[in-house]
């Protein structure tokens, strides 16, 4: 079974656009879990343009499923993770001004850096995942640095899906097989939606978890949050 972790960043974006506390991020997380989500993902960035660091502290006591914190492992981010101790931390090589994540780690170039951080997270009992492109050598590098999981960056898959879905998924299948060979758990995320999710799930061996935010929240405007989460869960089961 592939788990659905709902990224609630866009809930915070809407709140921040007007000020105040509407919609309430904590209540949204509770509702997502109540409606069937098997995890909550947040991705705080240095400018706090959506999820704020305080949101992460506020969410920790109330998330009853898996809490996944994504982000660039800057000193401030790492301190936040150490304080909160989520079930999973996903390390993402975001530039400070990135609108959204747009590339995975070069696990060979950043071998020493990632090895040190992952070791530190493991000492705290936090499962680590690193954001990678679907490249077999990057999976091999991920095994060397000691990560528990990788999250495949699926923008390329989503972009090609409607023109040639077999070609779109080919490199992802190879990466998934390579992850299984090394005993690395497999997550996926970015631009996944109700159109392309089932095909990904059906064709990636060992897919443990997907993290979906933007498309899911957009769909919720039309279908309602509860119904939307159920629609996504059906694609995964």
């Amino acid at each position: 079974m592939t788990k659905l972790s709902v990224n609630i960043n866009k809930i915070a974006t809407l709140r921040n656009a007007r000020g105040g506390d509407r919609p309430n991020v904590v209540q949204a997380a509770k509702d997502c879990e109540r409606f069937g989500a098997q995890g909550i993902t947040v991705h705080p960035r240095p400018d706090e343009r959506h999820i704020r660091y305080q949101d992460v502290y506020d969410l920790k006591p109330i998330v009853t499923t898996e809490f996944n914190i994504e982000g660039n492992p800057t000193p401030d981010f790492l301190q936040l993770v150490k304080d909160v101790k989520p079930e999973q931390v996903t390390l993402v090589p975001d530039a400070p001004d990135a609108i959204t994540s747009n590339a995975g780690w070069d696990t060979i170039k950043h071998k020493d850096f990632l090895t040190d951080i992952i070791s530190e997270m493991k000492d705290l009992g936090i499962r680590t995942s690193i954001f990678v492109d679907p490249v077999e050598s990057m999976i091999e590098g991920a095994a060397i640095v000691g990560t528990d999981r990788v999250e495949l960056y699926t923008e390329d898959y989503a972009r090609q899906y409607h023109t040639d879905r077999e070609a779109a998924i080919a490199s992802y299948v190879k990466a998934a097989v390579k992850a299984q060979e090394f005993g690395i758990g497999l997550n996926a995320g970015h631009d996944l939606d109700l159109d392309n999710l089932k095909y990904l799930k059906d064709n990636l061996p060992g897919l443990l978890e997907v993290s979906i935010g933007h498309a899911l929240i957009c769909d919720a405007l039309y279908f309602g949050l509860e119904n939307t989460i159920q629609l996504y869960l059906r694609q995964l089961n």
Side-chain angles (χ1 to χ4, degrees), residues 157-211:
Y157 163 74
R159 188 175 62 250
Q160 297 180 62
Y161 175 79
H162 288 289
T163 55
D164 188 342
R165 64 183 188 177
E166 291 183 4
I169 205 168
S171 63
Y172 291 87
V173 174
K174 291 179 181 178
V177 170
K178 184 64 68 174
Q180 285 193 320
E181 290 176 5
F182 285 105
I184 299 172
L186 187 68
N187 298 341
H190 204 88
D191 287 349
L192 297 176
D193 59 28
L194 289 172
D195 291 327
N196 61 40
L197 181 58
K198 186 178 190 314
Y199 187 76
L200 183 87
K201 186 264 181 185
D202 288 346
N203 288 279
L204 282 195
L207 182 60
L208 297 173
E209 177 184 304
V210 291
S211 173

Side-chain angles (χ1 to χ4, degrees), residues 28-166:
K30 289 180 179 179
D31 290 338
C32 287
E33 291 185 320
R34 181 163 57 90
F35 298 152
Q38 295 133 332
I40 298 295
T41 292
V42 293
H43 189 146
R45 287 184 165 88
D47 61 5
E48 297 192 318
R49 64 180 179 270
H50 35 62
I51 286 291
R52 299 167 181 155
Y53 275 40
Q54 186 57 52
D55 292 329
V56 183
Y57 289 108
D58 293 342
L59 286 162
K60 174 57 179 176
I62 66 94
V63 174
T64 60
T65 57
E66 177 192 278
F67 196 19
N68 173 45
I69 304 178
E70 297 181 344
N72 191 329
T74 62
D76 287 346
F77 176 85
L78 291 175
Q79 186 59 56
L80 174 71
V81 172
K82 291 173 188 176
D83 291 343
V84 174
K85 293 185 176 64
E87 284 73 26
Q88 178 173 270
V89 59
T90 301
L91 307 178
V92 183
D94 273 343
D97 59 349
I99 295 175
T100 186
S101 305
N102 55 22
W105 286 99
D106 183 332
T107 56
I108 298 170
K109 179 179 179 180
H110 298 288
K111 172 187 170 184
D112 293 341
F113 177 70
L114 289 169
T115 298
D116 289 345
I117 293 172
I118 290 167
S119 176
E120 189 174 6
M121 295 298 102
K122 285 188 173 184
D123 287 344
L124 293 170
I126 302 170
R127 184 173 74 231
T128 58
S129 178
I130 56 177
F131 204 54
V132 296
D133 297 313
V135 178
E136 290 177 273
S137 61
M138 294 300 103
I139 304 296
E140 294 176 14
I144 292 170
V145 301
T147 191
D148 299 298
R149 294 188 184 184
V150 292
E151 179 176 332
L152 295 181
Y153 171 47
T154 49
E155 181 182 6
D156 285 344
Y157 163 74
R159 188 175 62 250
Q160 297 180 62
Y161 175 79
H162 288 289
T163 55
D164 188 342
R165 64 183 188 177
E166 291 183 4

